[in-house]
Amino acid sequence: MENSSNRLGNSVGPGFRGCFVTATDTDVGKTVVAAGLLRALRGRGVEATAVKPVQTGCEPGALAPDVLCYRQACADSPEMAVPPFAIQKFRIPCSPHLAIRLEQERIDMDELLARIRGVQGQGVFTVVEGAGGLLVPLGDGRTMLDLAQALDLPVLLVVANRLGAINHALLSLQALHQRGLDVLGVVMNRVTDGSDDEAARAILADTPKAIAEYGQAEVLAELPFTRGLMAEDARRRVAAWEQVEAALVGVAARLVEAQNANAYRDESLLDFDRENIWHPYTSATRPLRAYEADRTGGPYIRLRDGRRLLDGMASWWCAIHGYNHPHLSAAAHRQIERMPHVMFGGLTHEPAVSLARKLLDMAPEPMRHVFFADSGSVSVEAAIKMALQYWQARGRKQRTRLLTVRGGYHGDTFGVMSVCDPQNGMHSLYTGMLPKHVFVERPSCRFDEEFDEGSLAAMRDALARHADELAAVILEPIVQGAGGMWFYHPDYLRGVRRLCDEHGVLLILDEIATGFGRTGKMFAGEWADVSPDIMCVGKALTGGYMTLAAVLASAEVAQGISADGGVFMHGPTFMANPLSCAVANASLELLEQGQWRGQVADIEGWLRTGLAPCRDSEDVADVRVLGAIGVLEMKHPVNVPALQAFFVEQGVWIRPFSNLIYVMPPYILMQEQVGRLTRVMHSAVREKRHF
């Protein structure tokens, strides 16, 4: 880090905003770190200032204590364009929530954000110092962590190097990671002169190593024990601050480098991508614009140019726990060091066995067997083959067709395309080349309205006419995803199960998009208390870390195929990949804790409230919400490139298609974040950005 200072400059580029300095507790030296960092930045030509959003213990008419420290640190440097300041000040030296209660005031979060962003808007690097530790209450149920999340700045965590520091640091880092904040690193502050006994010195030497090993964060610097920082004697004070500055100069360099990442951007990367890489559902020669993602954390995607986007798509619906979750990352690290892959033919392993056990415990009662696949589409292929092979084994070889509804989507591979919508779906180009299955109109009965028994008539008629040639009915339960984000009534699914039983036809439920809590139930079929014969799961199975899917089958299906020594004719190379299985186990462990139920219920309520104003737009045909899914159905197809650019400008990642603007966010989003998504969606239709 000593050689990093030559990268510091005074240029201000996009994304050059500042940092948030917080700590494990009060009185651990974060003000010294904030002031020293300000001095290190300014000493190398960076226009910077420091802001204390909330300061207690302020004497009337006097500078806030921490602001005085900032000014003392920079007293020998040129005058600042924006001098350090505190925004909301309180007299009583206590926690902010108690100060506002005793002084009959309130903390105005909007004012704090507006004042800080006003400084940032002037191109001034803004060092923002929190009050106390991360979870210090600010009143109205909010904490300092909520303010840090709203500011969306890289975080420096200050830790006092003393007994107990490891636990406090790891808890604080866990809270930051779970909120999706970008942790730049840890600064250790030696609060004693190190003259204690040998055991104490061993603790001081070990603490930074332990935090780096277990905290998934780099220890960037350790401040020495420093006297005289606020001394009356100017020479002594300057010498003390020079010592702090020297310890923090590398941290300052790291911050500027991170905020000015666009200055080092390799334009050839995007050029090569545009000219040579085929992205999904786009032209090779006239591709849609691709934005370069550089890092992820929590519910955020950071672009290479420094912009951070709140992800409303959960990475195509799979990153339900957010990105870089410490529990999932730890599972991946452990497994990759032990056994990243081994073939599943003739071998087995603990991650696969544990995962199968978890899946069967979660799944509806008739499920008895698990077949692992390497993607959602492949799992549906395997499910279709199971249904076909089941009837072959039973001597009913004429049962080779499938029955489904229009508006469905089950994947992109060849066999699966044959059960996707044949006219308006993504695969209409292949009409005439695919097996011909039986389609009926999609369920007309909305999820949120009284069930109309007549909506089952087409399905009832098709089963009666084609039962002898049908192997299975295949459906997306309750929610038709990429085929239109349509939510149909649970009684329709219940009726289909009953009709399948009457005609002796298997039922396949494709829970790839809906499984693992997305609709408010663990599996969407639970809305109808329906159990399928075959069920596909994927997407959220690994929490978005890597590809993995599974087909669950009833004992009847498995025994039917395996009768008389029959074997199921399918076996992907990466079937039951141990690395994927280990991460999936970790993801399901988080779901087993049960927090997702409250999270999804909260998101559903916030989406309903936030999207309600969109009903007034003349361009909106329908507004639909179920679980953690919010949909605006427009009357006409949207301009995807223009709308995508608008969303990125607003700091969110929402990927529209056809005539749909929708979100399926990670479950970890807070109310303010969901509100941000819905406000941007409303702005898009109000300002007609979708044209």
Side-chain angles (χ1 to χ4, degrees), residues 177-193:
H177 288 311
Q178 288 180 344
R179 287 291 188 96
L181 289 167
D182 182 6
V183 180
L184 191 77
V186 173
V187 174
M188 302 294 300
N189 194 20
R190 185 161 292 206
V191 293
T192 69
D193 60 8

Side-chain angles (χ1 to χ4, degrees), residues 481-540:
M485 291 295 167
W486 176 251
F487 311 152
Y488 62 88
H489 201 284
D491 281 351
Y492 182 90
L493 183 59
R494 193 174 292 118
V496 171
R497 173 74 274 184
R498 184 175 62 251
L499 290 168
C500 286
D501 291 340
E502 289 176 5
H503 293 282
V505 174
L506 298 177
L507 176 62
I508 302 172
L509 290 188
D510 176 355
E511 292 265 13
I512 293 166
T514 53
F516 307 113
R518 177 57 66 180
T519 68
K521 302 285 188 181
M522 178 62 77
F523 299 106
E526 293 175 18
W527 284 105
D529 295 321
V530 160
S531 298
D533 301 292
I534 302 172
M535 185 170 80
C536 300
V537 296
K539 283 196 182 291

Side-chain angles (χ1 to χ4, degrees), residues 191-473:
V191 293
T192 69
D193 60 8
S195 60
D196 300 273
D197 58 26
E198 184 176 349
R201 288 193 295 273
I203 290 172
L204 295 179
D206 176 71
T207 299
K209 298 176 183 177
I211 290 172
E213 180 178 356
Y214 295 101
Q216 298 180 27
E218 183 179 354
V219 177
L220 301 176
E222 184 173 4
L223 270 64
F225 178 71
T226 309
R227 291 190 176 93
L229 295 174
M230 302 293 284
E232 293 295 329
D233 176 57
R235 182 176 298 178
R236 182 174 167 221
R237 184 178 65 241
V238 168
W241 280 112
E242 285 176 347
Q243 191 176 1
V244 173
E245 177 186 357
L248 291 173
V249 64
V251 181
R254 180 75 67 89
L255 275 167
V256 175
E257 183 179 23
Q259 294 295 326
N260 277 334
N262 61 307
Y264 307 100
R265 184 175 178 175
D266 183 2
E267 291 292 346
S268 65
L269 183 147
L270 288 177
D271 290 340
F272 183 91
D273 181 283
R274 198 161 37 244
E275 294 171 8
N276 298 277
I277 299 179
W278 234 333
H279 285 262
Y281 309 115
T282 191
S283 165
T285 57
R286 293 183 179 179
L288 295 174
R289 178 180 178 182
Y291 299 85
E292 185 185 352
D294 185 58
R295 297 178 64 187
T296 55
Y300 291 99
I301 302 167
R302 183 178 291 281
L303 301 183
R304 181 65 182 271
D305 62 14
R307 288 179 291 180
R308 178 183 280 187
L309 308 180
L310 177 62
D311 186 6
M313 310 307 294
S315 200
W316 259 339
W317 323 342
C318 63
I320 58 174
H321 309 296
Y323 296 106
N324 299 26
H325 194 288
H327 186 60
L328 274 62
S329 295
H333 283 293
R334 287 194 301 269
Q335 188 61 42
I336 203 168
E337 292 174 355
R338 181 176 181 179
M339 182 174 64
H341 183 62
V342 67
M343 66 183 290
F344 209 55
L347 296 170
T348 192
H349 47 79
E350 189 278 333
V353 174
S354 293
L355 179 56
R357 183 178 286 118
K358 283 185 171 67
L359 286 171
L360 292 176
D361 286 344
M362 290 179 169
E365 179 58 31
M367 301 295 103
R368 285 291 181 274
H369 297 269
V370 178
F371 186 90
F372 290 110
D374 44 3
S375 74
S377 292
V378 173
S379 75
V380 180
E381 295 275 3
I384 292 173
K385 289 173 69 174
M386 280 185 188
L388 297 174
Q389 198 171 334
Y390 170 80
W391 292 112
Q392 292 280 318
R394 294 193 60 180
R396 306 287 294 277
K397 297 186 178 182
Q398 78 280 10
R399 290 201 168 201
T400 59
R401 302 184 75 188
L402 299 166
L403 170 60
T404 188
V405 297
R406 297 188 184 277
Y409 174 81
H410 299 279
D412 292 343
T413 51
F414 209 76
V416 171
M417 287 194 297
S418 65
V419 289
C420 296
D421 191 287
Q423 294 177 338
N424 301 315
M426 300 180 185
H427 308 308
S428 57
L429 177 67
Y430 302 95
T431 301
M433 309 176 205
L434 301 171
K436 291 188 180 297
H437 296 301
V438 183
F439 288 84
V440 298
E441 291 304 311
R442 79 177 188 182
S444 59
C445 45
R446 294 176 63 105
F447 183 91
D448 54 358
E449 294 181 355
E450 187 175 350
F451 179 63
D452 176 10
E453 185 69 29
S455 63
L456 270 169
M459 179 64 72
R460 183 182 294 110
D461 181 61
L463 274 164
R465 285 188 290 115
H466 297 283
D468 289 343
E469 58 180 330
L470 291 177
V473 172

